[in-house]
Amino acid sequence: MADQSKNTPEIFELNNGTMQVKISNYGATITSLSVPDKNGKLADVVLGFDSVDPYVKGLAPYFGCIVGRVANRIKEGKFSLNGVGYTLPINKPPNSLHGGNKGFDKKIWEVAGHKKDGDKPFIAFKYHSADGEEGYPGAVSVTATYTLTSATTMRLDMEAVPENRDTPISLAQHTYWNLAGHDSGNILDHKIQIWGSHITPVDQYTVPTGEILPVKGTPFDFTEEKRIGESIGEVGLGYDHNYMLDCPDQEKDGLKHAAKLSDGASARVLNLWTNVPGMQFYTGNYVNGVVGKGNAVYGKHAGVCLETQGFPNAINQSNFPSVVVKAGEKYQHTMLFGFSA
């Protein structure tokens, strides 16, 4: 069975008696995550599909997967590093998005360990990204481990080590959340607080201009809890912006508070903590009639993504925190998802 998992897309389960998570080795993808509401009623709160086939067929707009080698956009698919120019696939014209045509989300990861239930169930994946894959320099060894650390808490640890050459690395977990249930409609009535007082404004192609803009007095201000739909009409198609996670708050396990998402009817709350500098707040603006689990139809704003990350296009912006990882050094990105009701 272990050998087979190296080349066959499958779905694995984690269950600690309170929450149940299903994760595929295809893209290290969360396909289902069920947590209780205020009455103890379970609902699946992530967008996705019932089987691996639609993911493999490319029907998912990055539902639940880990994206890389570099998440988000790289302007015109070009960058230079150590005096050498690199050209990447333009898979979201005119830019390169989420690692290119066949990023980490479209690879079968090897299962390095799996404990389905009991105390602290986990699944560990590993992937070897070859030198030159999707145009990126150097080979990289990548691991991603999902652990149910308590009754209603999940931790994701992503690590990557460039083996022989410096390379940009910025991974992101691209789950679309709907705390009312994946099939409940849109997330415009969800409330969110984001521990970021600046965004990196973007051009017409959603690439940061290089500016760092205070959110105060703009529709991007979620420093106090606010309904997602309150000012969404003022930002074009919806939110698809990188927040600088710069608001101090009490740390948890050495991680900083990134966001608090809540749904009124179910009273479900998701608190997210991380150790990276940015978070893409994306309101599912391009989701359009995707037929998902149980034949639910996902439309625009059916879910919200909270993608902690390095800043988009940081490789081309010297004033952004660097995403370059030197050969032999370790990239470490942790996300802690705390659910309550």
Side-chain angles (χ1 to χ4, degrees), residues 214-246:
V215 296
K216 194 174 173 65
T218 76
F220 298 99
D221 190 350
F222 290 94
T223 52
E224 303 280 327
E225 189 176 59
K226 188 173 88 177
R227 198 177 144 262
I228 290 176
E230 186 172 315
S231 313
I232 201 168
E234 298 170 44
V235 293
L237 288 172
Y239 296 98
D240 193 3
H241 295 76
N242 172 60
Y243 280 72
M244 189 172 177
L245 299 174
D246 59 358

PDB file of all heavy atoms in Angstrom, residues 214-246:
ATOM      1  N   PRO A 214      -1.518  51.965   4.182  1.00  0.00           N
ATOM      2  CA  PRO A 214      -2.329  51.771   5.401  1.00  0.00           C
ATOM      3  C   PRO A 214      -3.795  51.516   5.033  1.00  0.00           C
ATOM      4  O   PRO A 214      -4.318  52.137   4.106  1.00  0.00           O
ATOM      5  CB  PRO A 214      -2.190  53.107   6.143  1.00  0.00           C
ATOM      6  CG  PRO A 214      -1.047  53.828   5.513  1.00  0.00           C
ATOM      7  CD  PRO A 214      -0.960  53.331   4.105  1.00  0.00           C
ATOM      8  N   VAL A 215      -4.452  50.590   5.757  1.00  0.00           N
ATOM      9  CA  VAL A 215      -5.850  50.252   5.449  1.00  0.00           C
ATOM     10  C   VAL A 215      -6.832  51.232   6.092  1.00  0.00           C
ATOM     11  O   VAL A 215      -7.999  51.285   5.705  1.00  0.00           O
ATOM     12  CB  VAL A 215      -6.207  48.818   5.907  1.00  0.00           C
ATOM     13  CG1 VAL A 215      -5.384  47.799   5.137  1.00  0.00           C
ATOM     14  CG2 VAL A 215      -6.034  48.644   7.415  1.00  0.00           C
ATOM     15  N   LYS A 216      -6.373  52.017   7.061  1.00  0.00           N
ATOM     16  CA  LYS A 216      -7.257  52.911   7.806  1.00  0.00           C
ATOM     17  C   LYS A 216      -8.035  53.821   6.857  1.00  0.00           C
ATOM     18  O   LYS A 216      -7.456  54.443   5.968  1.00  0.00           O
ATOM     19  CB  LYS A 216      -6.427  53.742   8.782  1.00  0.00           C
ATOM     20  CG  LYS A 216      -7.252  54.466   9.846  1.00  0.00           C
ATOM     21  CD  LYS A 216      -6.314  55.144  10.853  1.00  0.00           C
ATOM     22  CE  LYS A 216      -7.084  56.024  11.822  1.00  0.00           C
ATOM     23  NZ  LYS A 216      -8.001  55.260  12.683  1.00  0.00           N
ATOM     24  N   GLY A 217      -9.355  53.853   7.045  1.00  0.00           N
ATOM     25  CA  GLY A 217     -10.192  54.713   6.222  1.00  0.00           C
ATOM     26  C   GLY A 217     -10.466  54.176   4.829  1.00  0.00           C
ATOM     27  O   GLY A 217     -10.974  54.897   3.971  1.00  0.00           O
ATOM     28  N   THR A 218     -10.141  52.899   4.581  1.00  0.00           N
ATOM     29  CA  THR A 218     -10.395  52.275   3.276  1.00  0.00           C
ATOM     30  C   THR A 218     -11.283  51.047   3.453  1.00  0.00           C
ATOM     31  O   THR A 218     -11.452  50.555   4.577  1.00  0.00           O
ATOM     32  CB  THR A 218      -9.076  51.829   2.600  1.00  0.00           C
ATOM     33  OG1 THR A 218      -8.618  50.614   3.243  1.00  0.00           O
ATOM     34  CG2 THR A 218      -7.997  52.899   2.685  1.00  0.00           C
ATOM     35  N   PRO A 219     -11.836  50.515   2.348  1.00  0.00           N
ATOM     36  CA  PRO A 219     -12.644  49.282   2.450  1.00  0.00           C
ATOM     37  C   PRO A 219     -11.817  48.052   2.851  1.00  0.00           C
ATOM     38  O   PRO A 219     -12.382  46.989   3.099  1.00  0.00           O
ATOM     39  CB  PRO A 219     -13.194  49.090   1.034  1.00  0.00           C
ATOM     40  CG  PRO A 219     -12.889  50.329   0.270  1.00  0.00           C
ATOM     41  CD  PRO A 219     -11.802  51.051   0.977  1.00  0.00           C
ATOM     42  N   PHE A 220     -10.491  48.218   2.915  1.00  0.00           N
ATOM     43  CA  PHE A 220      -9.611  47.098   3.265  1.00  0.00           C
ATOM     44  C   PHE A 220      -9.367  46.994   4.767  1.00  0.00           C
ATOM     45  O   PHE A 220      -8.609  46.133   5.208  1.00  0.00           O
ATOM     46  CB  PHE A 220      -8.262  47.251   2.540  1.00  0.00           C
ATOM     47  CG  PHE A 220      -8.391  47.227   1.045  1.00  0.00           C
ATOM     48  CD1 PHE A 220      -8.412  48.414   0.308  1.00  0.00           C
ATOM     49  CD2 PHE A 220      -8.525  46.027   0.365  1.00  0.00           C
ATOM     50  CE1 PHE A 220      -8.554  48.391  -1.070  1.00  0.00           C
ATOM     51  CE2 PHE A 220      -8.667  45.998  -1.019  1.00  0.00           C
ATOM     52  CZ  PHE A 220      -8.686  47.178  -1.733  1.00  0.00           C
ATOM     53  N   ASP A 221      -9.996  47.870   5.544  1.00  0.00           N
ATOM     54  CA  ASP A 221      -9.731  47.901   6.978  1.00  0.00           C
ATOM     55  C   ASP A 221     -10.551  46.839   7.713  1.00  0.00           C
ATOM     56  O   ASP A 221     -11.768  46.978   7.866  1.00  0.00           O
ATOM     57  CB  ASP A 221     -10.046  49.294   7.531  1.00  0.00           C
ATOM     58  CG  ASP A 221      -9.567  49.466   8.969  1.00  0.00           C
ATOM     59  OD1 ASP A 221      -9.161  48.462   9.590  1.00  0.00           O
ATOM     60  OD2 ASP A 221      -9.603  50.613   9.466  1.00  0.00           O
ATOM     61  N   PHE A 222      -9.863  45.775   8.147  1.00  0.00           N
ATOM     62  CA  PHE A 222     -10.484  44.744   8.979  1.00  0.00           C
ATOM     63  C   PHE A 222      -9.744  44.628  10.309  1.00  0.00           C
ATOM     64  O   PHE A 222      -9.732  43.563  10.924  1.00  0.00           O
ATOM     65  CB  PHE A 222     -10.490  43.393   8.248  1.00  0.00           C
ATOM     66  CG  PHE A 222     -11.443  43.344   7.079  1.00  0.00           C
ATOM     67  CD1 PHE A 222     -10.991  43.626   5.793  1.00  0.00           C
ATOM     68  CD2 PHE A 222     -12.787  43.038   7.258  1.00  0.00           C
ATOM     69  CE1 PHE A 222     -11.861  43.584   4.708  1.00  0.00           C
ATOM     70  CE2 PHE A 222     -13.661  42.998   6.177  1.00  0.00           C
ATOM     71  CZ  PHE A 222     -13.196  43.276   4.898  1.00  0.00           C
ATOM     72  N   THR A 223      -9.131  45.746  10.740  1.00  0.00           N
ATOM     73  CA  THR A 223      -8.419  45.717  12.019  1.00  0.00           C
ATOM     74  C   THR A 223      -9.399  45.541  13.180  1.00  0.00           C
ATOM     75  O   THR A 223      -9.028  45.041  14.236  1.00  0.00           O
ATOM     76  CB  THR A 223      -7.572  46.988  12.232  1.00  0.00           C
ATOM     77  OG1 THR A 223      -8.404  48.130  12.027  1.00  0.00           O
ATOM     78  CG2 THR A 223      -6.402  47.031  11.257  1.00  0.00           C
ATOM     79  N   GLU A 224     -10.664  45.940  12.958  1.00  0.00           N
ATOM     80  CA  GLU A 224     -11.762  45.580  13.870  1.00  0.00           C
ATOM     81  C   GLU A 224     -12.660  44.625  13.098  1.00  0.00           C
ATOM     82  O   GLU A 224     -12.804  44.749  11.881  1.00  0.00           O
ATOM     83  CB  GLU A 224     -12.575  46.821  14.265  1.00  0.00           C
ATOM     84  CG  GLU A 224     -11.769  47.940  14.904  1.00  0.00           C
ATOM     85  CD  GLU A 224     -11.489  47.668  16.369  1.00  0.00           C
ATOM     86  OE1 GLU A 224     -12.334  47.040  17.035  1.00  0.00           O
ATOM     87  OE2 GLU A 224     -10.412  48.073  16.839  1.00  0.00           O
ATOM     88  N   GLU A 225     -13.271  43.688  13.815  1.00  0.00           N
ATOM     89  CA  GLU A 225     -14.143  42.708  13.162  1.00  0.00           C
ATOM     90  C   GLU A 225     -15.215  43.398  12.315  1.00  0.00           C
ATOM     91  O   GLU A 225     -15.832  44.369  12.747  1.00  0.00           O
ATOM     92  CB  GLU A 225     -14.806  41.836  14.229  1.00  0.00           C
ATOM     93  CG  GLU A 225     -15.550  40.652  13.671  1.00  0.00           C
ATOM     94  CD  GLU A 225     -16.104  39.751  14.752  1.00  0.00           C
ATOM     95  OE1 GLU A 225     -16.911  40.235  15.576  1.00  0.00           O
ATOM     96  OE2 GLU A 225     -15.743  38.574  14.794  1.00  0.00           O
ATOM     97  N   LYS A 226     -15.401  42.911  11.106  1.00  0.00           N
ATOM     98  CA  LYS A 226     -16.335  43.540  10.164  1.00  0.00           C
ATOM     99  C   LYS A 226     -16.906  42.480   9.235  1.00  0.00           C
ATOM    100  O   LYS A 226     -16.237  41.495   8.909  1.00  0.00           O
ATOM    101  CB  LYS A 226     -15.576  44.611   9.369  1.00  0.00           C
ATOM    102  CG  LYS A 226     -16.430  45.484   8.475  1.00  0.00           C
ATOM    103  CD  LYS A 226     -15.603  46.626   7.871  1.00  0.00           C
ATOM    104  CE  LYS A 226     -14.942  46.210   6.569  1.00  0.00           C
ATOM    105  NZ  LYS A 226     -14.192  47.333   5.934  1.00  0.00           N
ATOM    106  N   ARG A 227     -18.152  42.712   8.795  1.00  0.00           N
ATOM    107  CA  ARG A 227     -18.776  41.816   7.819  1.00  0.00           C
ATOM    108  C   ARG A 227     -18.003  41.871   6.507  1.00  0.00           C
ATOM    109  O   ARG A 227     -17.679  42.944   6.006  1.00  0.00           O
ATOM    110  CB  ARG A 227     -20.230  42.270   7.619  1.00  0.00           C
ATOM    111  CG  ARG A 227     -21.131  41.258   6.989  1.00  0.00           C
ATOM    112  CD  ARG A 227     -22.574  41.788   6.907  1.00  0.00           C
ATOM    113  NE  ARG A 227     -23.145  41.300   5.666  1.00  0.00           N
ATOM    114  CZ  ARG A 227     -23.228  41.998   4.540  1.00  0.00           C
ATOM    115  NH1 ARG A 227     -22.794  43.252   4.483  1.00  0.00           N
ATOM    116  NH2 ARG A 227     -23.733  41.450   3.463  1.00  0.00           N
ATOM    117  N   ILE A 228     -17.691  40.709   5.946  1.00  0.00           N
ATOM    118  CA  ILE A 228     -16.917  40.664   4.702  1.00  0.00           C
ATOM    119  C   ILE A 228     -17.610  41.449   3.592  1.00  0.00           C
ATOM    120  O   ILE A 228     -16.973  42.167   2.820  1.00  0.00           O
ATOM    121  CB  ILE A 228     -16.652  39.207   4.256  1.00  0.00           C
ATOM    122  CG1 ILE A 228     -15.658  38.538   5.215  1.00  0.00           C
ATOM    123  CG2 ILE A 228     -16.135  39.153   2.822  1.00  0.00           C
ATOM    124  CD1 ILE A 228     -15.386  37.070   4.929  1.00  0.00           C
ATOM    125  N   GLY A 229     -18.954  41.327   3.534  1.00  0.00           N
ATOM    126  CA  GLY A 229     -19.692  41.971   2.446  1.00  0.00           C
ATOM    127  C   GLY A 229     -19.919  43.460   2.611  1.00  0.00           C
ATOM    128  O   GLY A 229     -20.408  44.125   1.694  1.00  0.00           O
ATOM    129  N   GLU A 230     -19.531  44.006   3.771  1.00  0.00           N
ATOM    130  CA  GLU A 230     -19.889  45.398   4.087  1.00  0.00           C
ATOM    131  C   GLU A 230     -19.423  46.394   3.020  1.00  0.00           C
ATOM    132  O   GLU A 230     -20.193  47.248   2.593  1.00  0.00           O
ATOM    133  CB  GLU A 230     -19.312  45.793   5.460  1.00  0.00           C
ATOM    134  CG  GLU A 230     -19.785  47.176   5.907  1.00  0.00           C
ATOM    135  CD  GLU A 230     -19.367  47.480   7.337  1.00  0.00           C
ATOM    136  OE1 GLU A 230     -19.526  46.585   8.200  1.00  0.00           O
ATOM    137  OE2 GLU A 230     -18.878  48.592   7.584  1.00  0.00           O
ATOM    138  N   SER A 231     -18.172  46.292   2.612  1.00  0.00           N
ATOM    139  CA  SER A 231     -17.635  47.253   1.632  1.00  0.00           C
ATOM    140  C   SER A 231     -17.090  46.572   0.390  1.00  0.00           C
ATOM    141  O   SER A 231     -16.354  47.180  -0.383  1.00  0.00           O
ATOM    142  CB  SER A 231     -16.502  48.077   2.274  1.00  0.00           C
ATOM    143  OG  SER A 231     -16.882  48.562   3.540  1.00  0.00           O
ATOM    144  N   ILE A 232     -17.487  45.309   0.176  1.00  0.00           N
ATOM    145  CA  ILE A 232     -16.872  44.539  -0.916  1.00  0.00           C
ATOM    146  C   ILE A 232     -17.184  45.143  -2.288  1.00  0.00           C
ATOM    147  O   ILE A 232     -16.390  45.027  -3.234  1.00  0.00           O
ATOM    148  CB  ILE A 232     -17.298  43.046  -0.844  1.00  0.00           C
ATOM    149  CG1 ILE A 232     -16.294  42.160  -1.599  1.00  0.00           C
ATOM    150  CG2 ILE A 232     -18.716  42.827  -1.344  1.00  0.00           C
ATOM    151  CD1 ILE A 232     -16.472  40.672  -1.346  1.00  0.00           C
ATOM    152  N   GLY A 233     -18.314  45.836  -2.381  1.00  0.00           N
ATOM    153  CA  GLY A 233     -18.682  46.479  -3.644  1.00  0.00           C
ATOM    154  C   GLY A 233     -17.741  47.601  -4.058  1.00  0.00           C
ATOM    155  O   GLY A 233     -17.751  48.031  -5.221  1.00  0.00           O
ATOM    156  N   GLU A 234     -16.921  48.044  -3.112  1.00  0.00           N
ATOM    157  CA  GLU A 234     -16.001  49.159  -3.393  1.00  0.00           C
ATOM    158  C   GLU A 234     -14.627  48.688  -3.862  1.00  0.00           C
ATOM    159  O   GLU A 234     -13.744  49.501  -4.135  1.00  0.00           O
ATOM    160  CB  GLU A 234     -15.828  50.021  -2.133  1.00  0.00           C
ATOM    161  CG  GLU A 234     -17.121  50.668  -1.641  1.00  0.00           C
ATOM    162  CD  GLU A 234     -16.937  51.298  -0.267  1.00  0.00           C
ATOM    163  OE1 GLU A 234     -15.905  51.967  -0.059  1.00  0.00           O
ATOM    164  OE2 GLU A 234     -17.814  51.095   0.595  1.00  0.00           O
ATOM    165  N   VAL A 235     -14.436  47.360  -3.948  1.00  0.00           N
ATOM    166  CA  VAL A 235     -13.103  46.857  -4.298  1.00  0.00           C
ATOM    167  C   VAL A 235     -13.123  45.989  -5.561  1.00  0.00           C
ATOM    168  O   VAL A 235     -12.414  44.995  -5.666  1.00  0.00           O
ATOM    169  CB  VAL A 235     -12.448  46.080  -3.123  1.00  0.00           C
ATOM    170  CG1 VAL A 235     -12.147  47.022  -1.971  1.00  0.00           C
ATOM    171  CG2 VAL A 235     -13.333  44.945  -2.647  1.00  0.00           C
ATOM    172  N   GLY A 236     -13.942  46.396  -6.532  1.00  0.00           N
ATOM    173  CA  GLY A 236     -13.973  45.656  -7.794  1.00  0.00           C
ATOM    174  C   GLY A 236     -14.656  44.319  -7.641  1.00  0.00           C
ATOM    175  O   GLY A 236     -15.751  44.233  -7.088  1.00  0.00           O
ATOM    176  N   LEU A 237     -13.995  43.250  -8.101  1.00  0.00           N
ATOM    177  CA  LEU A 237     -14.594  41.912  -8.062  1.00  0.00           C
ATOM    178  C   LEU A 237     -14.736  41.385  -6.644  1.00  0.00           C
ATOM    179  O   LEU A 237     -15.525  40.482  -6.381  1.00  0.00           O
ATOM    180  CB  LEU A 237     -13.726  40.926  -8.850  1.00  0.00           C
ATOM    181  CG  LEU A 237     -13.713  41.045 -10.367  1.00  0.00           C
ATOM    182  CD1 LEU A 237     -12.648  40.127 -10.954  1.00  0.00           C
ATOM    183  CD2 LEU A 237     -15.082  40.687 -10.942  1.00  0.00           C
ATOM    184  N   GLY A 238     -13.937  41.927  -5.748  1.00  0.00           N
ATOM    185  CA  GLY A 238     -13.909  41.429  -4.379  1.00  0.00           C
ATOM    186  C   GLY A 238     -12.497  41.534  -3.857  1.00  0.00           C
ATOM    187  O   GLY A 238     -11.610  42.086  -4.507  1.00  0.00           O
ATOM    188  N   TYR A 239     -12.280  40.999  -2.658  1.00  0.00           N
ATOM    189  CA  TYR A 239     -10.940  41.064  -2.069  1.00  0.00           C
ATOM    190  C   TYR A 239     -10.032  39.980  -2.668  1.00  0.00           C
ATOM    191  O   TYR A 239     -10.443  38.833  -2.818  1.00  0.00           O
ATOM    192  CB  TYR A 239     -11.022  40.889  -0.544  1.00  0.00           C
ATOM    193  CG  TYR A 239     -11.778  42.012   0.138  1.00  0.00           C
ATOM    194  CD1 TYR A 239     -13.117  41.870   0.485  1.00  0.00           C
ATOM    195  CD2 TYR A 239     -11.149  43.229   0.400  1.00  0.00           C
ATOM    196  CE1 TYR A 239     -13.818  42.909   1.092  1.00  0.00           C
ATOM    197  CE2 TYR A 239     -11.842  44.269   1.019  1.00  0.00           C
ATOM    198  CZ  TYR A 239     -13.180  44.107   1.346  1.00  0.00           C
ATOM    199  OH  TYR A 239     -13.867  45.139   1.942  1.00  0.00           O
ATOM    200  N   ASP A 240      -8.837  40.379  -3.013  1.00  0.00           N
ATOM    201  CA  ASP A 240      -7.798  39.449  -3.471  1.00  0.00           C
ATOM    202  C   ASP A 240      -6.470  40.157  -3.226  1.00  0.00           C
ATOM    203  O   ASP A 240      -5.750  40.498  -4.151  1.00  0.00           O
ATOM    204  CB  ASP A 240      -7.990  39.099  -4.951  1.00  0.00           C
ATOM    205  CG  ASP A 240      -7.140  37.906  -5.398  1.00  0.00           C
ATOM    206  OD1 ASP A 240      -6.444  37.318  -4.535  1.00  0.00           O
ATOM    207  OD2 ASP A 240      -7.157  37.563  -6.588  1.00  0.00           O
ATOM    208  N   HIS A 241      -6.193  40.402  -1.939  1.00  0.00           N
ATOM    209  CA  HIS A 241      -5.107  41.309  -1.569  1.00  0.00           C
ATOM    210  C   HIS A 241      -4.247  40.726  -0.458  1.00  0.00           C
ATOM    211  O   HIS A 241      -4.748  40.016   0.418  1.00  0.00           O
ATOM    212  CB  HIS A 241      -5.682  42.660  -1.120  1.00  0.00           C
ATOM    213  CG  HIS A 241      -6.398  43.399  -2.206  1.00  0.00           C
ATOM    214  ND1 HIS A 241      -7.663  43.049  -2.623  1.00  0.00           N
ATOM    215  CD2 HIS A 241      -6.011  44.441  -2.984  1.00  0.00           C
ATOM    216  CE1 HIS A 241      -8.035  43.855  -3.608  1.00  0.00           C
ATOM    217  NE2 HIS A 241      -7.050  44.709  -3.846  1.00  0.00           N
ATOM    218  N   ASN A 242      -2.977  41.069  -0.505  1.00  0.00           N
ATOM    219  CA  ASN A 242      -2.022  40.641   0.507  1.00  0.00           C
ATOM    220  C   ASN A 242      -1.994  41.639   1.662  1.00  0.00           C
ATOM    221  O   ASN A 242      -1.770  42.836   1.455  1.00  0.00           O
ATOM    222  CB  ASN A 242      -0.630  40.530  -0.117  1.00  0.00           C
ATOM    223  CG  ASN A 242       0.446  40.270   0.916  1.00  0.00           C
ATOM    224  OD1 ASN A 242       0.411  39.268   1.623  1.00  0.00           O
ATOM    225  ND2 ASN A 242       1.401  41.189   1.034  1.00  0.00           N
ATOM    226  N   TYR A 243      -2.225  41.133   2.860  1.00  0.00           N
ATOM    227  CA  TYR A 243      -2.143  41.945   4.076  1.00  0.00           C
ATOM    228  C   TYR A 243      -0.802  41.719   4.754  1.00  0.00           C
ATOM    229  O   TYR A 243      -0.321  40.587   4.859  1.00  0.00           O
ATOM    230  CB  TYR A 243      -3.270  41.560   5.049  1.00  0.00           C
ATOM    231  CG  TYR A 243      -4.593  42.193   4.691  1.00  0.00           C
ATOM    232  CD1 TYR A 243      -5.314  41.761   3.579  1.00  0.00           C
ATOM    233  CD2 TYR A 243      -5.126  43.235   5.446  1.00  0.00           C
ATOM    234  CE1 TYR A 243      -6.525  42.356   3.233  1.00  0.00           C
ATOM    235  CE2 TYR A 243      -6.338  43.835   5.115  1.00  0.00           C
ATOM    236  CZ  TYR A 243      -7.026  43.387   4.008  1.00  0.00           C
ATOM    237  OH  TYR A 243      -8.218  43.977   3.658  1.00  0.00           O
ATOM    238  N   MET A 244      -0.221  42.824   5.211  1.00  0.00           N
ATOM    239  CA  MET A 244       1.008  42.769   5.995  1.00  0.00           C
ATOM    240  C   MET A 244       0.593  42.502   7.438  1.00  0.00           C
ATOM    241  O   MET A 244      -0.108  43.318   8.048  1.00  0.00           O
ATOM    242  CB  MET A 244       1.698  44.131   5.861  1.00  0.00           C
ATOM    243  CG  MET A 244       3.068  44.234   6.417  1.00  0.00           C
ATOM    244  SD  MET A 244       3.730  45.865   5.920  1.00  0.00           S
ATOM    245  CE  MET A 244       5.297  45.788   6.763  1.00  0.00           C
ATOM    246  N   LEU A 245       0.995  41.363   7.983  1.00  0.00           N
ATOM    247  CA  LEU A 245       0.534  40.963   9.323  1.00  0.00           C
ATOM    248  C   LEU A 245       1.371  41.665  10.387  1.00  0.00           C
ATOM    249  O   LEU A 245       2.316  41.112  10.936  1.00  0.00           O
ATOM    250  CB  LEU A 245       0.601  39.442   9.465  1.00  0.00           C
ATOM    251  CG  LEU A 245      -0.283  38.674   8.477  1.00  0.00           C
ATOM    252  CD1 LEU A 245      -0.045  37.172   8.604  1.00  0.00           C
ATOM    253  CD2 LEU A 245      -1.761  39.006   8.653  1.00  0.00           C
ATOM    254  N   ASP A 246       0.997  42.922  10.644  1.00  0.00           N
ATOM    255  CA  ASP A 246       1.844  43.791  11.472  1.00  0.00           C
ATOM    256  C   ASP A 246       1.156  44.292  12.737  1.00  0.00           C
ATOM    257  O   ASP A 246       1.689  45.152  13.430  1.00  0.00           O
ATOM    258  CB  ASP A 246       2.325  44.985  10.636  1.00  0.00           C
ATOM    259  CG  ASP A 246       1.170  45.813  10.067  1.00  0.00           C
ATOM    260  OD1 ASP A 246      -0.009  45.444  10.296  1.00  0.00           O
ATOM    261  OD2 ASP A 246       1.437  46.807   9.376  1.00  0.00           O
TER     262      ASP A 246
END
